[in-house]
Amino acid sequence: MSDLLHSPKNIYETADERLRADIATYGEGYKNFIQNARTERECTLRVIELARARGFREYVHGEKAIPGDKIYSVNRGKAVTLAVIGSESLANGVNIAGAHIDSPRLDLKANPLYEDSEIAYFKTHYYGGIKKYQWHSIPLEIRGVICKADGSKVTVSIGSEPGDPRFVISDILPHLGQEQSKKVLADAFPGEGLNIIVGSIPDNTKDDKVKDKTKLAVLRLFNEKYGITEEDFISAELEAVPAHEVRDIGFDRSLIGGYGSDDRVCSYTALTAILEIEGTPKRTAVCLLADKEEIGSESVTGLQSRAFDRFVGSLTRSQGVNLDDCFAESFCLSADVCNAFDPNFPEVSDKRNNAKLNYGVSLMKFTGQRGKSGSSDASAETIAKVRGLFAANNVTWQIGELGKVDQGGGGTLAVYFAQRNIETIDAGVPVLSMHAPYELISKADLYSTYTAMKALYTL
Ligand code: MN
Ligand code: MN
Protein backbone atom coordinates (compact mmCIF):
# COMPACT_ATOMS: atom_id res chain seq x y z
CA MET A 1 0.00 0.00 0.00
CA SER A 2 3.01 2.29 0.34
CA ASP A 3 2.60 3.37 -3.28
CA LEU A 4 -0.40 5.36 -2.08
CA LEU A 5 1.95 7.61 -0.17
CA HIS A 6 3.84 10.54 -1.65
CA SER A 7 7.41 9.89 -0.57
CA PRO A 8 10.00 12.17 -2.14
CA LYS A 9 13.55 10.81 -2.12
CA ASN A 10 16.98 12.29 -1.68
CA ILE A 11 18.55 12.35 -5.15
CA TYR A 12 21.61 10.50 -3.89
CA GLU A 13 19.49 7.54 -2.72
CA THR A 14 19.04 6.43 -6.31
CA ALA A 15 21.79 8.31 -8.21
CA ASP A 16 24.09 6.00 -10.16
CA GLU A 17 27.74 6.77 -10.94
CA ARG A 18 26.84 8.41 -14.24
CA LEU A 19 24.35 10.83 -12.64
CA ARG A 20 26.76 11.62 -9.83
CA ALA A 21 29.43 12.49 -12.41
CA ASP A 22 27.00 14.66 -14.40
CA ILE A 23 25.99 16.49 -11.21
CA ALA A 24 29.63 17.18 -10.34
CA THR A 25 30.58 18.33 -13.85
CA TYR A 26 27.60 20.66 -14.18
CA GLY A 27 28.47 22.17 -10.79
CA GLU A 28 31.93 23.11 -12.05
CA GLY A 29 30.37 25.10 -14.90
CA TYR A 30 28.18 26.99 -12.47
CA LYS A 31 31.07 27.76 -10.12
CA ASN A 32 33.00 29.17 -13.03
CA PHE A 33 29.98 31.27 -14.07
CA ILE A 34 29.43 33.00 -10.71
CA GLN A 35 33.06 33.41 -9.70
CA ASN A 36 33.48 36.46 -11.89
CA ALA A 37 29.94 37.55 -12.77
CA ARG A 38 29.12 39.42 -9.56
CA THR A 39 26.93 42.21 -10.88
CA GLU A 40 24.02 42.28 -13.31
CA ARG A 41 26.25 44.03 -15.86
CA GLU A 42 28.98 41.42 -15.56
CA CYS A 43 26.38 38.63 -15.83
CA THR A 44 24.96 40.20 -18.97
CA LEU A 45 28.39 40.35 -20.60
CA ARG A 46 29.13 36.73 -19.67
CA VAL A 47 25.75 35.57 -20.98
CA ILE A 48 26.38 37.32 -24.32
CA GLU A 49 29.81 35.71 -24.52
CA LEU A 50 28.42 32.21 -23.87
CA ALA A 51 25.49 32.77 -26.24
CA ARG A 52 27.68 33.97 -29.10
CA ALA A 53 29.95 30.94 -28.65
CA ARG A 54 26.83 28.82 -29.20
CA GLY A 55 25.85 30.60 -32.41
CA PHE A 56 23.37 33.13 -31.00
CA ARG A 57 23.38 36.60 -32.57
CA GLU A 58 22.00 39.95 -31.48
CA TYR A 59 18.44 40.51 -32.69
CA VAL A 60 17.76 43.64 -34.71
CA HIS A 61 14.38 45.08 -33.71
CA GLY A 62 11.80 44.50 -36.43
CA GLU A 63 13.69 41.59 -37.98
CA LYS A 64 11.58 38.60 -39.05
CA ALA A 65 11.54 35.61 -36.70
CA ILE A 66 12.55 32.57 -38.73
CA PRO A 67 12.37 29.01 -37.33
CA GLY A 68 15.76 27.87 -36.06
CA ASP A 69 17.00 31.44 -35.41
CA LYS A 70 19.05 31.77 -32.24
CA ILE A 71 18.92 35.34 -31.04
CA TYR A 72 19.37 37.57 -28.00
CA SER A 73 18.42 41.10 -27.05
CA VAL A 74 20.20 43.17 -24.40
CA ASN A 75 18.37 45.70 -22.26
CA ARG A 76 20.77 48.56 -21.48
CA GLY A 77 23.62 46.30 -20.48
CA LYS A 78 21.82 44.90 -17.42
CA ALA A 79 19.32 42.32 -18.65
CA VAL A 80 19.19 39.96 -21.59
CA THR A 81 16.53 37.87 -23.32
CA LEU A 82 17.44 34.92 -25.53
CA ALA A 83 15.20 33.01 -27.93
CA VAL A 84 15.31 30.04 -30.26
CA ILE A 85 12.53 30.42 -32.81
CA GLY A 86 10.36 27.32 -33.10
CA SER A 87 8.83 25.67 -36.14
CA GLU A 88 5.29 26.41 -34.89
CA SER A 89 3.72 29.84 -35.27
CA LEU A 90 4.16 32.20 -32.33
CA ALA A 91 0.35 32.16 -32.18
CA ASN A 92 0.82 28.84 -30.35
CA GLY A 93 2.73 30.60 -27.58
CA VAL A 94 6.30 30.32 -26.32
CA ASN A 95 8.03 28.44 -23.50
CA ILE A 96 9.63 30.94 -21.13
CA ALA A 97 12.22 30.46 -18.40
CA GLY A 98 12.47 33.72 -16.46
CA ALA A 99 15.16 34.33 -13.85
CA HIS A 100 17.01 37.35 -12.46
CA ILE A 101 20.68 38.26 -12.45
CA ASP A 102 20.69 41.01 -9.81
CA SER A 103 21.58 40.05 -6.23
CA PRO A 104 21.53 41.81 -2.84
CA ARG A 105 24.55 44.06 -2.35
CA LEU A 106 25.70 47.49 -1.14
CA ASP A 107 25.37 50.29 -3.69
CA LEU A 108 27.59 53.34 -3.28
CA LYS A 109 25.70 56.58 -2.62
CA ALA A 110 25.89 59.52 -5.04
CA ASN A 111 28.33 61.33 -2.72
CA PRO A 112 30.10 58.26 -1.37
CA LEU A 113 33.55 59.47 -0.36
CA TYR A 114 34.16 61.11 3.01
CA GLU A 115 36.71 61.14 5.78
CA ASP A 116 36.29 60.66 9.52
CA SER A 117 39.18 60.61 12.01
CA GLU A 118 41.63 60.47 9.10
CA ILE A 119 40.07 57.28 7.69
CA ALA A 120 38.45 57.47 4.24
CA TYR A 121 35.10 55.77 3.70
CA PHE A 122 32.49 55.06 1.03
CA LYS A 123 28.88 55.54 2.12
CA THR A 124 26.46 52.90 0.86
CA HIS A 125 22.75 52.23 0.50
CA TYR A 126 21.92 48.54 0.54
CA TYR A 127 20.13 46.98 -2.44
CA GLY A 128 17.60 44.22 -1.80
CA GLY A 129 16.84 42.49 1.47
CA ILE A 130 19.93 42.02 3.62
CA LYS A 131 20.71 41.23 7.25
CA LYS A 132 23.03 44.15 7.83
CA TYR A 133 25.22 42.51 10.46
CA GLN A 134 26.36 39.97 7.85
CA TRP A 135 28.13 42.71 5.86
CA HIS A 136 30.46 43.80 8.65
CA SER A 137 33.96 42.29 8.86
CA ILE A 138 33.90 40.54 5.50
CA PRO A 139 36.11 41.27 2.46
CA LEU A 140 34.35 43.29 -0.25
CA GLU A 141 35.09 44.06 -3.89
CA ILE A 142 33.95 47.18 -5.71
CA ARG A 143 32.57 46.67 -9.20
CA GLY A 144 30.58 48.75 -11.64
CA VAL A 145 30.81 51.71 -13.97
CA ILE A 146 31.50 55.42 -13.78
CA CYS A 147 29.84 57.48 -16.52
CA LYS A 148 31.24 60.89 -17.27
CA ALA A 149 29.32 63.90 -18.50
CA ASP A 150 31.21 63.76 -21.82
CA GLY A 151 29.52 60.41 -22.56
CA SER A 152 32.52 58.25 -21.82
CA LYS A 153 32.37 55.35 -19.38
CA VAL A 154 34.95 53.50 -17.32
CA THR A 155 34.54 50.02 -15.91
CA VAL A 156 35.65 49.46 -12.34
CA SER A 157 36.55 46.10 -10.83
CA ILE A 158 38.77 46.17 -7.75
CA GLY A 159 39.32 43.19 -5.52
CA SER A 160 39.06 40.16 -7.78
CA GLU A 161 42.54 40.08 -9.32
CA PRO A 162 45.36 38.43 -7.35
CA GLY A 163 47.05 41.08 -5.25
CA ASP A 164 44.14 43.53 -5.52
CA PRO A 165 43.22 45.38 -2.35
CA ARG A 166 39.82 44.72 -0.78
CA PHE A 167 37.44 46.72 1.35
CA VAL A 168 35.79 46.15 4.73
CA ILE A 169 33.09 47.52 7.01
CA SER A 170 34.36 47.36 10.58
CA ASP A 171 32.50 46.13 13.66
CA ILE A 172 32.73 46.74 17.40
CA LEU A 173 35.17 44.46 19.21
CA PRO A 174 33.38 42.04 21.61
CA HIS A 175 35.25 43.56 24.55
CA LEU A 176 33.29 46.78 23.99
CA GLY A 177 30.15 45.24 22.51
CA GLN A 178 28.02 44.96 25.63
CA GLU A 179 25.53 47.67 24.67
CA GLN A 180 25.43 46.45 21.06
CA SER A 181 24.66 42.89 22.13
CA LYS A 182 21.62 44.04 24.14
CA LYS A 183 19.98 45.64 21.08
CA VAL A 184 17.60 43.82 18.76
CA LEU A 185 19.32 42.94 15.45
CA ALA A 186 17.32 45.46 13.44
CA ASP A 187 18.67 48.32 15.60
CA ALA A 188 22.17 47.01 16.33
CA PHE A 189 23.42 47.51 12.78
CA PRO A 190 21.93 50.68 11.26
CA GLY A 191 21.91 51.13 7.48
CA GLU A 192 23.84 54.40 7.75
CA GLY A 193 26.58 52.44 9.51
CA LEU A 194 27.39 50.41 6.39
CA ASN A 195 30.41 52.58 5.60
CA ILE A 196 33.29 50.92 3.79
CA ILE A 197 36.92 51.66 4.71
CA VAL A 198 38.80 52.68 1.55
CA GLY A 199 42.00 54.34 2.79
CA SER A 200 43.99 55.81 5.67
CA ILE A 201 47.06 57.62 4.30
CA PRO A 202 46.63 61.42 4.12
CA ASP A 203 47.64 63.25 0.94
CA ASN A 204 50.88 65.23 1.34
CA THR A 205 49.46 68.41 -0.16
CA LYS A 206 50.82 71.59 1.40
CA ASP A 207 47.52 73.35 0.76
CA ASP A 208 46.28 74.24 4.27
CA LYS A 209 42.76 74.84 2.98
CA VAL A 210 42.33 71.11 2.33
CA LYS A 211 40.84 69.67 5.50
CA ASP A 212 40.19 66.03 4.46
CA LYS A 213 43.58 64.89 3.25
CA THR A 214 42.88 61.13 3.43
CA LYS A 215 39.77 61.61 1.30
CA LEU A 216 41.84 63.66 -1.13
CA ALA A 217 44.45 60.89 -1.34
CA VAL A 218 41.80 58.32 -2.32
CA LEU A 219 40.36 60.74 -4.86
CA ARG A 220 43.84 61.21 -6.32
CA LEU A 221 44.19 57.43 -6.75
CA PHE A 222 40.83 57.31 -8.54
CA ASN A 223 41.87 60.22 -10.72
CA GLU A 224 45.15 58.56 -11.69
CA LYS A 225 43.52 55.22 -12.49
CA TYR A 226 40.19 56.30 -14.02
CA GLY A 227 40.63 59.98 -14.86
CA ILE A 228 37.66 61.02 -12.73
CA THR A 229 36.89 63.77 -10.22
CA GLU A 230 34.58 63.64 -7.20
CA GLU A 231 31.58 64.85 -9.19
CA ASP A 232 31.82 61.79 -11.47
CA PHE A 233 30.75 59.54 -8.57
CA ILE A 234 27.30 61.07 -8.95
CA SER A 235 26.86 59.31 -12.29
CA ALA A 236 28.47 56.07 -11.22
CA GLU A 237 26.95 52.71 -10.39
CA LEU A 238 29.46 51.14 -8.06
CA GLU A 239 28.46 48.03 -6.14
CA ALA A 240 30.26 46.57 -3.14
CA VAL A 241 29.93 42.80 -3.38
CA PRO A 242 31.37 40.03 -1.19
CA ALA A 243 34.87 38.95 -2.25
CA HIS A 244 34.47 35.37 -1.05
CA GLU A 245 35.75 32.73 -3.43
CA VAL A 246 33.27 30.24 -4.88
CA ARG A 247 34.07 26.84 -3.38
CA ASP A 248 32.82 23.33 -2.82
CA ILE A 249 31.40 22.99 0.67
CA GLY A 250 31.50 19.82 2.78
CA PHE A 251 33.84 16.81 2.85
CA ASP A 252 31.72 15.23 0.11
CA ARG A 253 31.76 18.46 -1.98
CA SER A 254 27.98 18.21 -2.33
CA LEU A 255 27.31 21.94 -1.88
CA ILE A 256 28.53 25.12 -3.54
CA GLY A 257 29.24 28.19 -1.47
CA GLY A 258 29.33 31.56 -3.18
CA TYR A 259 27.85 35.02 -3.55
CA GLY A 260 24.78 35.69 -5.69
CA SER A 261 23.19 32.27 -6.12
CA ASP A 262 19.87 34.12 -5.74
CA ASP A 263 19.22 34.13 -8.59
CA ARG A 264 22.22 33.51 -10.80
CA VAL A 265 21.82 29.81 -10.03
CA CYS A 266 18.43 29.61 -11.76
CA SER A 267 19.68 32.00 -14.44
CA TYR A 268 22.52 29.60 -15.20
CA THR A 269 20.20 26.57 -15.48
CA ALA A 270 17.81 28.44 -17.80
CA LEU A 271 20.71 29.80 -19.85
CA THR A 272 22.48 26.47 -20.35
CA ALA A 273 19.18 24.79 -21.21
CA ILE A 274 18.40 27.27 -23.99
CA LEU A 275 21.99 27.35 -25.26
CA GLU A 276 21.94 23.55 -25.66
CA ILE A 277 18.77 23.39 -27.76
CA GLU A 278 19.67 21.39 -30.87
CA GLY A 279 18.02 22.25 -34.16
CA THR A 280 14.57 23.85 -34.25
CA PRO A 281 12.19 23.28 -31.32
CA LYS A 282 8.45 23.03 -31.96
CA ARG A 283 7.50 25.96 -29.73
CA THR A 284 9.76 29.00 -29.51
CA ALA A 285 12.06 28.90 -26.47
CA VAL A 286 12.62 32.12 -24.51
CA CYS A 287 15.01 32.77 -21.63
CA LEU A 288 14.65 36.08 -19.80
CA LEU A 289 17.43 37.11 -17.44
CA ALA A 290 16.08 40.18 -15.68
CA ASP A 291 17.51 42.94 -13.52
CA LYS A 292 16.00 44.65 -10.44
CA GLU A 293 13.99 41.67 -9.13
CA GLU A 294 15.41 42.24 -5.67
CA ILE A 295 13.80 45.68 -5.48
CA GLY A 296 10.44 44.71 -6.97
CA SER A 297 11.25 44.38 -10.69
CA GLU A 298 10.86 48.15 -11.04
CA SER A 299 13.10 50.27 -13.33
CA VAL A 300 13.54 50.12 -17.06
CA THR A 301 15.65 46.95 -16.80
CA GLY A 302 13.19 45.15 -14.49
CA LEU A 303 10.38 42.89 -15.67
CA GLN A 304 7.76 45.59 -15.02
CA SER A 305 9.31 47.48 -17.92
CA ARG A 306 7.84 46.85 -21.37
CA ALA A 307 11.24 45.92 -22.82
CA PHE A 308 10.27 42.24 -22.67
CA ASP A 309 7.00 42.95 -24.52
CA ARG A 310 8.85 44.98 -27.12
CA PHE A 311 11.21 42.08 -27.86
CA VAL A 312 8.59 39.30 -28.00
CA GLY A 313 6.16 41.72 -29.71
CA SER A 314 8.64 42.35 -32.48
CA LEU A 315 8.92 38.60 -33.06
CA THR A 316 5.14 38.04 -33.09
CA ARG A 317 4.49 41.04 -35.34
CA SER A 318 6.97 39.67 -37.85
CA GLN A 319 4.76 36.56 -38.07
CA GLY A 320 1.52 38.54 -38.17
CA VAL A 321 0.59 37.41 -34.66
CA ASN A 322 -0.84 39.58 -31.89
CA LEU A 323 1.44 39.66 -28.81
CA ASP A 324 -1.50 39.13 -26.42
CA ASP A 325 -2.55 36.02 -28.34
CA CYS A 326 0.99 34.66 -28.07
CA PHE A 327 1.18 35.36 -24.33
CA ALA A 328 -2.23 33.73 -23.74
CA GLU A 329 -0.87 30.44 -25.10
CA SER A 330 2.57 30.71 -23.48
CA PHE A 331 3.93 28.92 -20.45
CA CYS A 332 6.53 30.19 -17.99
CA LEU A 333 8.69 28.66 -15.32
CA SER A 334 9.48 31.62 -13.10
CA ALA A 335 12.90 30.35 -12.13
CA ASP A 336 13.83 31.68 -8.72
CA VAL A 337 15.36 30.24 -5.60
CA CYS A 338 13.46 29.28 -2.45
CA ASN A 339 14.68 28.60 1.04
CA ALA A 340 16.04 25.15 1.85
CA PHE A 341 14.93 23.69 5.19
CA ASP A 342 17.59 24.63 7.74
CA PRO A 343 17.91 22.23 10.70
CA ASN A 344 19.80 25.01 12.49
CA PHE A 345 16.66 27.18 12.35
CA PRO A 346 13.74 24.73 12.07
CA GLU A 347 11.32 27.09 13.79
CA VAL A 348 10.72 29.28 10.71
CA SER A 349 9.61 26.48 8.39
CA ASP A 350 6.78 23.98 8.09
CA LYS A 351 8.94 20.90 7.66
CA ARG A 352 6.19 19.04 5.78
CA ASN A 353 6.03 21.67 3.06
CA ASN A 354 9.50 23.18 2.94
CA ALA A 355 12.01 22.34 0.22
CA LYS A 356 15.00 20.24 1.32
CA LEU A 357 18.58 20.13 0.09
CA ASN A 358 19.24 17.32 -2.45
CA TYR A 359 15.55 16.68 -3.17
CA GLY A 360 15.61 18.46 -6.51
CA VAL A 361 14.09 21.52 -8.15
CA SER A 362 11.42 23.03 -5.92
CA LEU A 363 8.02 23.97 -7.29
CA MET A 364 6.34 26.83 -5.46
CA LYS A 365 2.59 27.18 -5.94
CA PHE A 366 2.76 30.64 -4.41
CA THR A 367 5.13 33.00 -2.61
CA GLY A 368 4.00 36.31 -1.08
CA GLN A 369 3.19 36.78 2.58
CA ARG A 370 0.32 36.88 5.11
CA GLY A 371 -2.32 34.91 3.27
CA LYS A 372 -0.38 34.62 -0.03
CA SER A 373 -0.66 38.40 -0.50
CA GLY A 374 1.36 39.77 -3.41
CA SER A 375 1.99 36.40 -5.00
CA SER A 376 1.07 34.64 -8.20
CA ASP A 377 -0.90 31.62 -6.97
CA ALA A 378 -0.51 28.93 -9.63
CA SER A 379 -3.60 26.88 -10.53
CA ALA A 380 -3.98 23.19 -9.75
CA GLU A 381 -4.11 22.62 -13.52
CA THR A 382 -0.72 24.31 -13.92
CA ILE A 383 0.92 22.24 -11.20
CA ALA A 384 -0.53 19.04 -12.63
CA LYS A 385 0.84 19.95 -16.05
CA VAL A 386 4.32 20.48 -14.61
CA ARG A 387 4.16 17.23 -12.61
CA GLY A 388 3.38 15.43 -15.85
CA LEU A 389 6.13 17.24 -17.73
CA PHE A 390 8.72 16.45 -15.05
CA ALA A 391 7.65 12.81 -14.82
CA ALA A 392 7.96 12.41 -18.59
CA ASN A 393 11.44 13.93 -18.54
CA ASN A 394 12.83 12.23 -15.44
CA VAL A 395 13.13 15.46 -13.45
CA THR A 396 13.48 14.96 -9.70
CA TRP A 397 11.40 17.65 -8.04
CA GLN A 398 9.79 18.61 -4.76
CA ILE A 399 7.24 21.10 -3.50
CA GLY A 400 8.32 24.09 -1.42
CA GLU A 401 6.83 26.89 0.63
CA LEU A 402 8.72 29.95 1.83
CA GLY A 403 8.52 29.49 5.60
CA LYS A 404 5.71 28.98 8.06
CA VAL A 405 2.39 30.76 7.63
CA ASP A 406 2.76 34.38 8.82
CA GLN A 407 6.52 33.92 9.34
CA GLY A 408 7.42 36.37 6.57
CA GLY A 409 7.67 35.83 2.84
CA GLY A 410 8.93 37.18 -0.44
CA GLY A 411 8.22 37.73 -4.11
CA THR A 412 9.52 36.63 -7.48
CA LEU A 413 9.09 37.45 -11.17
CA ALA A 414 5.98 35.25 -11.36
CA VAL A 415 3.45 38.04 -10.71
CA TYR A 416 4.79 40.06 -13.63
CA PHE A 417 4.50 37.15 -16.07
CA ALA A 418 0.99 36.47 -14.75
CA GLN A 419 0.06 40.14 -15.31
CA ARG A 420 0.84 39.53 -18.99
CA ASN A 421 -1.66 36.64 -19.00
CA ILE A 422 1.13 34.06 -19.18
CA GLU A 423 0.50 30.79 -17.29
CA THR A 424 3.25 30.76 -14.66
CA ILE A 425 4.61 28.79 -11.76
CA ASP A 426 7.70 29.32 -9.62
CA ALA A 427 10.39 26.66 -9.78
CA GLY A 428 13.98 26.83 -8.62
CA VAL A 429 16.90 25.80 -6.50
CA PRO A 430 16.59 25.64 -2.67
CA VAL A 431 19.17 27.83 -0.93
CA LEU A 432 20.62 27.85 2.59
CA SER A 433 21.42 31.31 3.97
CA MET A 434 19.56 32.99 1.12
CA HIS A 435 20.53 36.68 0.67
CA ALA A 436 23.63 36.21 2.87
CA PRO A 437 26.99 37.29 1.43
CA TYR A 438 27.81 33.59 1.12
CA GLU A 439 24.90 31.38 0.02
CA LEU A 440 24.81 27.59 -0.18
CA ILE A 441 23.16 25.43 -2.81
CA SER A 442 23.25 21.71 -3.55
CA LYS A 443 24.87 20.49 -6.77
CA ALA A 444 22.17 17.85 -7.10
CA ASP A 445 19.39 20.47 -6.90
CA LEU A 446 21.30 22.64 -9.38
CA TYR A 447 21.46 19.75 -11.84
CA SER A 448 17.82 18.84 -11.26
CA THR A 449 16.78 22.45 -12.01
CA TYR A 450 18.79 22.32 -15.23
CA THR A 451 16.88 19.17 -16.27
CA ALA A 452 13.63 20.98 -15.41
CA MET A 453 14.56 23.88 -17.73
CA LYS A 454 15.44 21.44 -20.49
CA ALA A 455 12.05 19.76 -20.02
CA LEU A 456 10.31 23.16 -20.24
CA TYR A 457 11.77 23.71 -23.69
CA THR A 458 10.19 20.47 -24.94
CA LEU A 459 6.62 21.64 -24.10
MN1 MN B 1 15.36 35.65 -6.33
MN1 MN C 1 16.08 37.37 -3.58
Side-chain angles (χ1 to χ4, degrees), residues 114-121 212 214:
Y114 73 100
E115 168 176 344
D116 193 338
S117 310
E118 292 163 80
I119 301 175
Y121 291 92
D212 294 332
T214 312

Side-chain angles (χ1 to χ4, degrees), residues 43-259:
C43 269
T44 299
L45 289 174
R46 184 82 179 115
V47 168
I48 294 169
E49 192 184 328
L50 292 170
R52 294 187 74 87
R54 283 280 185 161
F56 282 67
R57 63 182 171 79
E58 185 155 26
Y59 177 72
V60 179
H61 189 75
E63 211 181 329
K64 186 161 175 52
I66 298 165
D69 269 0
K70 296 181 166 191
I71 52 177
Y72 65 86
S73 175
V74 181
N75 185 357
R76 299 167 173 88
K78 297 180 179 184
V80 54
T81 307
L82 303 97
V84 179
I85 307 300
S87 54
E88 290 182 0
S89 161
L90 287 165
N92 293 356
V94 299
N95 298 322
I96 305 168
H100 66 93
I101 52 176
D102 59 317
S103 295
R105 59 179 191 250
L106 305 178
D107 284 341
L108 263 54
K109 291 196 186 198
N111 285 313
L113 185 59
Y114 73 100
E115 168 176 344
D116 193 338
S117 310
E118 292 163 80
I119 301 175
Y121 291 92
F122 275 157
K123 287 208 76 67
T124 67
H125 193 140
Y126 64 97
Y127 171 97
I130 64 164
K131 292 166 83 175
K132 298 178 195 94
Y133 75 88
Q134 295 177 334
W135 294 74
H136 290 259
S137 302
I138 62 165
L140 299 168
E141 299 173 357
I142 292 172
R143 298 182 176 218
V145 296
I146 304 170
C147 296
K148 300 186 205 173
D150 65 5
S152 64
K153 175 156 80 178
V154 291
T155 300
V156 175
S157 180
I158 313 167
S160 64
E161 294 300 318
D164 268 8
R166 287 179 173 164
F167 311 92
V168 172
I169 299 168
S170 62
D171 194 3
I172 300 173
L173 58 164
H175 315 66
L176 303 181
Q178 288 186 37
E179 291 307 314
Q180 182 190 43
S181 68
K182 285 182 208 148
K183 293 180 184 169
V184 294
L185 267 182
D187 300 333
F189 299 90
E192 285 291 352
L194 292 170
N195 303 315
I196 304 171
I197 295 174
V198 295
S200 68
I201 303 177
D203 191 88
N204 57 13
T205 175
K206 298 285 172 277
D207 185 346
D208 286 340
K209 275 185 249 135
V210 177
K211 289 278 172 285
D212 294 332
K213 291 186 177 169
T214 312
K215 170 183 169 175
L216 180 65
V218 169
L219 209 47
R220 201 182 291 287
L221 289 172
F222 260 82
N223 180 265
E224 283 163 8
K225 187 155 185 191
Y226 303 108
I228 67 154
T229 64
E230 188 176 16
E231 190 180 316
D232 292 318
F233 280 122
I234 290 172
S235 50
E237 265 181 350
L238 295 174
E239 306 176 6
V241 296
H244 305 311
E245 199 181 345
V246 180
R247 281 280 177 146
D248 287 344
I249 300 293
F251 290 114
D252 57 9
R253 300 179 177 272
S254 57
L255 309 177
I256 295 173
Y259 163 67

